[in-house]
């Protein structure tokens, strides 16, 4: 018998060379909504991009990649 299960989502933010794992606040939310939710606590997320999901350790892993640019 084949049973389908939904994998939990995990979000990773790299800040100051350290990876921070963020839990999924609400599985029904879009990934963008989760990014917006955490941007209140992590201001760098206001300009972050969302990587393509990867599957690792029976979770769906999303990386929030901050974009640090120069003015000019």
């Amino acid at each position: 018998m084949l049973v389908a299960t939904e994998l939990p989502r995990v979000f990773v933010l790299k800040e100051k060379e350290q990876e921070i794992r963020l839990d999924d606040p609400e599985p029904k939310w879009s990934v963008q909504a989760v990014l917006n939710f955490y941007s209140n606590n992590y201001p760098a997320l206001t300009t972050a991009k969302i990587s393509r999901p990867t599957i690792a350790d029976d979770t769906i892993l999303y990386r929030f990649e901050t974009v640090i640019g120069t003015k000019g």
Side-chain angles (χ1 to χ4, degrees):
M1 177 183 231
L2 185 62
V3 177
T5 58
E6 190 171 330
L7 297 176
R9 300 184 300 180
V10 174
F11 302 90
V12 175
L13 163 65
K14 190 168 187 177
E15 188 173 72
K16 297 178 184 173
E17 302 302 318
Q18 180 178 347
E19 286 195 345
I20 301 168
R21 290 178 65 95
L22 305 170
D23 292 326
D24 193 348
E26 175 53 65
K28 294 178 183 174
W29 289 357
S30 69
V31 176
Q32 185 64 49
V34 174
L35 176 72
N36 293 342
F37 173 81
Y38 279 116
S39 67
N40 292 325
N41 293 330
Y42 301 98
L45 291 178
T46 57
T47 59
K49 293 184 179 179
I50 303 164
S51 70
R52 289 186 177 185
T54 58
I55 296 176
D57 300 324
D58 290 331
T59 63
I60 302 174
L61 182 69
Y62 291 90
R63 291 189 179 275
F64 294 146
E65 299 173 358
T66 56
V67 181
I68 300 172
T70 57
K71 293 182 180 180

